[in-house]
Structures are given as structure tokens and as C-alpha cells.
Amino acid sequence: MRKINYRLIVSDFDGTLLPRDGIIPERVKNAINEYVENGGIFAVCTGRMTASILPRVRELGLKGLVVAYQGTVIADIESGKILKKGALSCDQGIEVCKVIESKGKTINAYADEKLYTTAKNDNRLIKKYEEITGIQAIHISGAMSDFVNKNKLQCQKIISVVEPCEKLPLYEYMRETLGGKFEVTYSSEILVEVSPFGDDKGQALKYIADYYKIPIEKTVALGDNLNDLPMLLAAGVGVAVENSTKELKEKADVICSSCDDGGVAEIIEKYGFTEYYV
């Protein structure tokens, strides 16, 4: 067997663990299996819905905890039981939607494992999102703020799906307008996201470390985008994969190989183990 060094490794999913082709490399799978078999704890922390990430982590054979919705929800992989669940109040959801509506942008609202969108059925960005996540959106007509109000929705997060050139301007506007009251971030070239204040990936990492009674300094976190920053800052070692945004690389302790080149496996080998023993 091998002796474990850093006892907890937490990875983002899309763009960090999962490459662009949607297939996790065998090298990465083998590295995770060896780490777990020797006593390490490997967890996934993603912005995806719980219903979207559970099948993927089960495919990997992972057990224990998984984090969804940017840290708003934490669930047990095997049973699907929710251990932690946050949400925007109905009034907060309405406020967020009205800010996005003021810019005339498409809105996705996530409430209790349902995805509602104001996008049209043929919207290519929504179709791409559905294909990647395996979640079918429920298309609504009219303003999302009215829909949230009418149905008294408490959303785990609310996002806007935009063209890449629109992402940063919308993010800056939303951060200036909503920052301090909500978590405002982005997670890909087309997603600007808002979730409850205090429900971020950094807090999720701390929750998992406390759950397993692991000192935070013995944790490693890997990511590729701005929404991963709180997690990297909270961990003992914060790692950005080579394909990460410039902003994340500047804050990371370590930069590893890209997602496509199996950077997660590289980090498991470097930080997950110390030495062989009998």
C-alpha cells in the first residue's frame, strides 16, 4: 500500500476533471482509484445540479460527499441524501432576476432540481448546456421574476447564459449591483452565476474537511474558473489546471497540466502520497 499525504483532494468537474470531449482519461480514473483505495478522500465540487453530477460521480465509483450548485447543496453520493441545502429566498430570486432582465439577458433559474429558462426552445447555448449536463430545461414565457414570484420559488442559483463576448460586461455589472448580498461569479465562457451569500466552493471544502475531521492544511483543491477561486484559497494547496482562466492562475499556489492532459492525476501523484510501506 501507499502512505497518504494530503488526505482530502477536492476537484471541480467540468474543465478540471472532465475534458472537453466529455471522457475522463483512464489515467485520471486510475489515479483516483489508487488514492481512494489507499485511504485518501476524493470529492467533486461543481456548479452542476445535484441530479446532473450524481450519475457522473457514481460512474467513477466515488462514495462519500459531492457538492453541487457551487456549494449550495452537499449530498451523499450513494443514497442521494441531502446533507446541506441553501437557497435564495423568493424575494432575493426576484431581485436577481430583475437585475438580469434590466440587461435583456436570458435567465436560468434552478429550484429543487428543476431548471427553468426564459430561452427559446431553439437557443443553441441552452441546447449545448442541456447536452453537457444531461438536464432538460423547462421553457417559460414572460419574465422570470414574475415566474419566481408566482410560484414562490426558492432557487439554489440563478444564472444568465450569454455569448462569450457578453460574459465579462454582465459579470462586472452584476457584481457591482449584487455583490456583498449574493455570491456573483462565472463558471465558463458563457455562464454568469448568482447564488446565496456564503454558499461558495470554499465553504463547501471546509464543510467536507470538517465532516471527515481533516485539517484544512491537509487538503488540495483543483479548479479552472473564477467560481473555483474560494475553494483554492481555502485549501492547503490551491491548484489551477493549465487551461484555467488567467485570474485563477494568478491566485493559485500551483499550476498543473491541463484537464485534457490529465492534470488531476498529476496532482494526486504529487500531493496524494508520500511513500510506499508494507
Side-chain angles (χ1 to χ4, degrees):
M1 295 183 71
R2 303 186 69 180
K3 187 175 180 180
I4 294 297
N5 184 9
Y6 285 76
R7 293 176 55 204
L8 173 63
I9 298 178
V10 180
S11 176
D12 169 53
F13 194 66
D14 297 279
T16 303
L17 185 60
L18 186 72
R20 287 170 294 183
D21 63 7
I23 301 172
I24 298 174
E26 286 301 315
R27 175 192 173 201
V28 173
K29 292 180 182 179
N30 293 338
I32 293 172
N33 288 337
E34 183 180 13
Y35 178 66
V36 172
E37 286 171 0
N38 281 275
I41 297 169
F42 187 90
V44 169
C45 185
T46 179
R48 288 195 185 202
M49 299 168 65
T50 316
S52 176
I53 195 58
L54 275 177
R56 301 308 304 264
V57 291
R58 286 168 176 166
E59 287 172 9
L60 281 171
L62 292 178
K63 298 179 181 180
L65 306 185
V66 65
V67 180
Y69 296 106
Q70 232 77 278
T72 305
V73 173
I74 300 177
D76 176 77
I77 294 172
E78 292 181 275
S79 67
K81 179 182 178 181
I82 303 299
L83 303 183
K84 173 187 176 294
K85 180 180 178 181
L88 300 167
S89 69
C90 180
D91 287 342
Q92 287 176 324
I94 293 169
E95 179 181 358
V96 172
C97 288
K98 285 186 175 180
V99 168
I100 301 174
E101 287 164 356
S102 71
K103 292 296 183 180
K105 305 301 183 185
T106 297
I107 299 175
N108 285 3
Y110 301 76
D112 298 325
E113 298 307 311
K114 292 182 179 179
L115 164 57
Y116 304 97
T117 184
T118 58
K120 295 181 180 180
N121 290 315
D122 60 353
N123 184 292
R124 65 177 182 83
L125 295 178
I126 296 298
K127 285 184 173 294
K128 178 181 179 181
Y129 183 86
E130 290 176 327
E131 179 182 348
I132 291 173
T133 63
I135 298 296
Q136 187 69 40
I138 300 170
H139 295 262
I140 70 163
S141 58
M144 182 65 80
S145 57
D146 292 337
F147 184 82
V148 169
N149 186 30
K150 179 181 178 180
N151 293 278
K152 303 305 176 188
L153 297 184
Q154 294 189 344
C155 300
Q156 276 65 60
K157 69 174 184 176
I158 295 172
I159 75 173
S160 186
V161 184
V162 296
E163 295 292 344
C165 62
E166 299 174 316
K167 182 190 77 174
L168 287 179
L170 180 61
Y171 164 70
E172 292 294 345
Y173 173 74
M174 291 175 64
R175 187 180 66 170
E176 291 173 4
T177 307
L178 299 171
K181 294 190 292 183
F182 304 93
E183 298 294 340
V184 181
T185 188
Y186 55 81
S187 60
S188 78
E189 62 180 4
I190 62 170
L191 303 179
V192 180
E193 313 204 6
V194 180
S195 54
F197 187 78
D199 283 346
D200 61 32
K201 291 190 175 187
Q203 293 303 314
L205 173 68
K206 293 175 183 177
Y207 182 101
I208 297 174
D210 183 64
Y211 182 88
Y212 290 110
K213 295 179 172 54
I214 296 172
I216 198 71
E217 61 268 19
K218 297 303 292 184
T219 66
V220 179
L222 300 97
D224 74 306
N225 228 306
L226 184 66
N227 65 323
D228 299 312
L229 181 58
M231 180 169 68
L232 268 62
L233 294 177
V237 178
V239 183
V241 289
E242 180 58 44
N243 53 284
S244 297
T245 61
K246 178 183 177 182
E247 295 86 353
L248 196 69
K249 287 181 178 180
E250 290 175 346
K251 299 291 186 179
D253 299 313
V254 177
I255 298 174
C256 69
S257 298
S258 72
C259 176
D260 291 343
D261 292 330
V264 171
E266 177 184 313
I267 291 302
I268 290 174
E269 185 61 34
K270 183 174 182 180
Y271 292 98
F273 303 104
T274 53
E275 59 188 22
Y276 283 97
Y277 69 97
V278 177

